[in-house]
Amino acid sequence: MSEKMNEDFPPMIGKYKIIGVIARGGMGVVYKAVHPSLKRYVVIKKMTSRGNNGNATRFKNEAKILLDMQSPYIVHLHDYFTEGSYRYMVEELVDGAALDKLIHKQTCLPVPIAMLFMQDACYALKYAHSKKIVHRDIKPGNILISKRGEIKLADFGIARDEESDENLTQSDATLGTPAYMPPEQFEKSADVDQRADIYALGIMLYEMITGTKPYPGSFTKDTLKTVKKGKYIKPRKLDKNIPLKIQRLIHKMIRPKAKNRYQSINKVLRVVKNYLKHYDTHELRVQIAKSVITPQTYSFPVVTPKDKLRRRISAAALSLLAVVLIVTGAFKLGFFHRTVLSKIYTPVNVEIKLPKSVTQNLDLPIRAFFFEDDGKDLPEVKNSNRTFAIKGTRKFDWIFKANKDNKEESASSKYVSYDTTDVFLKKGKYRVKVVAGPYVWWNSFNVADKAVTVNCDALKNIKNKLEVTTFVSDRVSGEDLSKKAKVFILHNGGWVELSKYPEDKIVSGTVWKFKIDCEGYESENYSLLIDWYQERLFISAELTPLKKDE
């Protein structure tokens, strides 16, 4: 805050000794004074405009709000009192300058410096918003900087307490500074919330790093129309050295519709802190202090991230790791075998179709093992062990198997198709052993120039002889009817007595229909699906006696 003194001032105001006049305006005078008990310089704001109840109410409102604000990032209020017909506020003296003066002197600020201003402003708003206070006039002129590099938010004259019953803004009044106001504040200042402060803070960041504002600063319909469209020159078009992440931060903060902005200052603060963690914030604050003390344009030194070397090493290590992973993945997927080594190696895979009943009972994975068919020892091919997966379900199948039928079996199918990833083999004779739980298949095949698919469908059509045993009883009395009852089997649309049906024709892997008859009882019919591996069928039938009049 400027300390150019005007000698026309009273010696005392209340208990405070006046040192001089800092500023005069239409609404009042700002004095520099000494606090009698704290023995430190303070600022006394005197409201001189009379006959304006609105201004008086806002002055009192600011005092009430500041008395509850106990944050190192907000200007502290020591006292509020009236003397005669005048009202006074006693605030801490921030002995430096306002941010707007610094921007005017420097034209624009280095991004890390601007982000430190953002951090402290965010902390101030985080505290204010936690108290349900909306500032409504965030701008560089209300950001004060001390000669020690402290940054504080000031001037809560038009702030709004969201929980207060007092409405200090007339419903049709527009309050604020146009260049920093969001569309909703132009239309109805009384109803804006914390997102209006977030918008204004985004405009302030734009101004700090570019030296200009994105929108005109006037209360006109044209200004409102421009702000509503959200069209402005992107910061990187003005300075390509501005990081893209900072441009994105600004873009989201100053979106015309409040619902599209950051909904909480905490989210803005998270982005700001994530950026500043790479810098020495103490050194940044020292540079801010020097820029305030220096009367001429201050030449900020080039600010580099404190962990720049580590980040470069990390980036190089990550790049190397990515290359290794890509090369390893390409090797495992057979990219080199299919391209550079295609004249030496041929892709071979194994497909198997199993009944669903088998796959549901397999606890172990289905595996394939490849061996060289040398006619003697059958040495296993190194790194050729493969595990089957349901066909078409691997993440990278589409890369090299785009022309193959990778469709899964339909839900109604009795079978499930599995296949392996490709094994790359040199030309010659080979054998493959497929192990699926208790089942083992050996297959011989030759490898030439064309890709080979080995099919193992040994279980697809396998059937076992089925032995049928029946037990028949009276449903009411429990009497054993097995010797009296007759069992029939459906064959070619007619019922044939089971005892007369050829035993070798009754096999598993199909649906059989049975009928059990007994004189004096209702018949029972059964339609049963017999899986391929099932060998014995037991039917226990309880027959219901016929009624006497039937």
Side-chain angles (χ1 to χ4, degrees):
M1 185 172 288
S2 173
E3 292 188 23
K4 291 181 180 180
M5 297 297 169
N6 187 318
E7 295 183 358
D8 184 15
F9 57 87
M12 297 287 292
I13 295 179
K15 61 183 179 180
Y16 302 94
K17 181 181 178 182
I18 306 303
I19 304 300
V21 177
I22 296 174
R24 292 181 185 273
M27 289 181 60
V29 184
V30 180
Y31 299 100
K32 181 177 180 180
V34 177
H35 196 290
S37 55
L38 296 178
K39 305 299 182 184
R40 64 174 61 178
Y41 291 120
V42 292
V43 168
I44 297 180
K45 291 182 179 180
K46 174 185 178 182
M47 183 180 173
T48 58
S49 58
R50 301 180 183 180
N52 190 324
N53 292 331
N55 289 339
T57 304
R58 290 191 187 104
F59 194 78
K60 183 179 179 181
N61 176 64
E62 181 180 8
K64 287 173 64 178
I65 288 175
L66 284 176
L67 280 173
D68 291 332
M69 295 290 180
Q70 301 297 323
S71 167
Y73 302 99
I74 296 174
V75 171
H76 181 65
L77 178 68
H78 293 292
D79 196 3
Y80 172 79
F81 62 94
T82 58
E83 190 174 81
S85 59
Y86 299 112
R87 301 170 186 270
Y88 298 90
M89 276 194 289
V90 182
E91 298 177 356
E92 68 172 305
L93 174 67
V94 182
D95 59 343
L99 177 57
D100 61 340
K101 303 298 183 185
L102 182 62
I103 295 173
H104 179 73
K105 182 175 73 173
Q106 299 292 143
T107 303
C108 62
L109 304 177
V111 173
I113 296 292
M115 291 300 276
L116 187 61
F117 276 102
M118 283 289 290
Q119 175 190 270
D120 289 7
C122 283
Y123 279 131
L125 287 177
K126 180 180 178 180
Y127 183 85
H129 292 171
S130 72
K131 299 287 187 179
K132 303 300 181 183
I133 301 299
V134 182
H135 190 280
R136 297 199 294 187
D137 199 19
I138 299 296
K139 60 183 179 181
N142 288 335
I143 303 294
L144 305 183
I145 318 157
S146 77
K147 293 178 180 178
R148 295 175 297 283
E150 299 165 313
I151 299 166
K152 295 177 181 284
L153 176 61
D155 197 348
F156 282 73
I158 62 170
R160 172 176 175 256
D161 186 344
E162 293 181 301
E163 292 188 337
S164 174
D165 293 332
E166 296 180 37
N167 186 359
L168 302 176
T169 308
Q170 296 177 4
S171 59
D172 59 346
T174 300
L175 293 179
T177 305
Y180 304 90
M181 287 164 49
E184 67 268 24
Q185 193 166 343
F186 277 94
E187 294 169 345
K188 200 169 184 180
S189 298
D191 293 340
V192 298
D193 57 25
Q194 60 186 11
R195 294 172 295 182
D197 287 345
I198 291 171
Y199 179 96
L201 193 60
I203 299 291
M204 191 177 85
L205 175 57
Y206 184 104
E207 184 179 1
M208 282 193 286
I209 62 177
T210 66
T212 185
K213 302 177 186 69
Y215 300 117
S218 57
F219 277 112
T220 65
K221 289 182 178 180
D222 289 338
T223 297
L224 178 57
K225 188 182 296 184
T226 303
V227 172
K228 278 186 173 182
K229 288 180 179 178
K231 292 183 179 180
Y232 59 92
I233 300 173
K234 298 295 187 288
R236 283 171 59 83
K237 285 190 175 182
L238 299 172
D239 183 355
K240 64 181 180 180
N241 294 316
I242 293 172
L244 184 58
K245 66 175 70 174
I246 303 303
Q247 179 168 284
R248 288 173 178 164
L249 172 64
I250 292 170
H251 178 68
K252 184 155 187 176
M253 291 179 74
I254 66 172
R255 287 189 172 179
K257 292 184 178 180
K259 66 179 182 180
N260 294 332
R261 295 176 213 143
Y262 289 104
Q263 300 300 293
S264 164
I265 197 66
N266 290 328
K267 293 183 178 180
V268 179
L269 182 58
R270 193 177 301 126
V271 177
V272 173
K273 290 178 71 175
N274 188 56
Y275 176 87
L276 285 175
K277 71 182 181 182
H278 303 297
Y279 293 88
D280 184 344
T281 53
H282 173 72
E283 179 57 30
L284 294 178
R285 204 170 291 279
V286 169
Q287 295 304 321
I288 289 174
K290 288 181 178 180
S291 69
V292 171
I293 295 170
T294 305
Q296 298 83 22
T297 301
Y298 178 70
S299 180
F300 284 99
V302 177
V303 183
T304 56
K306 61 184 178 182
D307 54 356
K308 187 174 183 180
L309 178 61
R310 179 181 63 80
R311 291 168 70 188
R312 284 183 174 177
I313 293 173
S314 298
L318 287 173
S319 298
L320 180 60
L321 178 61
V323 170
V324 170
L325 290 175
I326 290 170
V327 171
T328 303
F331 188 84
K332 287 188 175 182
L333 289 171
F335 176 78
F336 297 110
H337 291 87
R338 297 175 196 276
T339 54
V340 180
L341 304 174
S342 60
K343 292 185 178 180
I344 303 174
Y345 292 95
T346 300
V348 177
N349 81 316
V350 184
E351 293 185 0
I352 185 170
K353 188 171 284 190
L354 295 175
K356 287 183 178 179
S357 54
V358 172
T359 62
Q360 291 169 356
N361 294 305
L362 284 179
D363 294 329
L364 299 175
I366 309 169
R367 296 184 181 277
F369 304 86
F370 292 83
F371 302 85
E372 294 180 28
D373 192 355
D374 61 353
K376 296 179 182 179
D377 302 324
L378 296 179
E380 185 174 356
V381 179
K382 291 183 178 180
N383 301 318
S384 66
N385 186 330
R386 292 291 187 271
T387 300
F388 286 80
I390 295 176
K391 197 173 180 182
T393 59
R394 291 189 185 86
K395 290 182 179 179
F396 302 105
D397 276 356
W398 59 273
I399 297 177
F400 297 118
K401 298 186 179 183
N403 296 323
K404 294 190 178 183
D405 181 12
N406 287 329
K407 294 181 180 179
E408 297 182 39
E409 300 289 336
S410 66
S412 61
S413 175
K414 299 178 183 178
Y415 302 97
V416 180
S417 294
Y418 293 82
D419 67 356
T420 65
T421 55
D422 289 338
V423 176
F424 293 89
L425 303 175
K426 295 179 180 179
K427 296 175 180 63
K429 295 180 178 181
Y430 295 88
R431 292 184 186 180
V432 61
K433 179 175 73 172
V434 177
V435 180
Y439 309 105
V440 179
W441 295 267
W442 279 91
N443 243 309
S444 299
F445 62 95
N446 293 325
V447 175
D449 294 324
K450 293 184 178 180
V452 178
T453 296
V454 181
N455 289 298
C456 295
D457 293 337
L459 289 180
K460 184 176 178 181
N461 297 309
I462 195 169
K463 296 179 184 296
N464 292 312
K465 182 179 177 182
L466 183 66
E467 183 180 342
V468 181
T469 303
T470 59
F471 301 94
V472 185
S473 62
D474 185 307
R475 187 184 300 276
V476 178
S477 66
E479 178 188 352
D480 186 354
L481 304 175
S482 298
K483 292 181 179 180
K484 296 166 56 178
K486 291 183 179 182
V487 181
F488 297 89
I489 189 168
L490 187 65
H491 176 71
N492 292 335
W495 293 103
V496 179
E497 196 169 339
L498 181 62
S499 60
K500 297 177 181 179
Y501 195 82
E503 292 183 359
D504 59 342
K505 298 293 185 182
I506 306 176
V507 294
S508 62
T510 188
V511 175
W512 288 102
K513 293 186 177 181
F514 298 91
K515 182 174 72 168
I516 299 176
D517 280 347
C518 186
E519 187 178 350
Y521 292 87
E522 295 178 4
S523 298
E524 288 282 342
N525 290 357
Y526 298 87
S527 181
L528 306 172
L529 170 63
I530 310 301
D531 281 318
W532 67 273
Y533 59 89
Q534 295 171 332
E535 298 177 346
R536 294 203 65 181
L537 172 62
F538 296 91
I539 301 176
S540 294
E542 292 184 346
L543 302 185
T544 303
L546 292 171
K547 294 180 180 179
K548 291 181 179 181
D549 56 348
E550 292 184 7

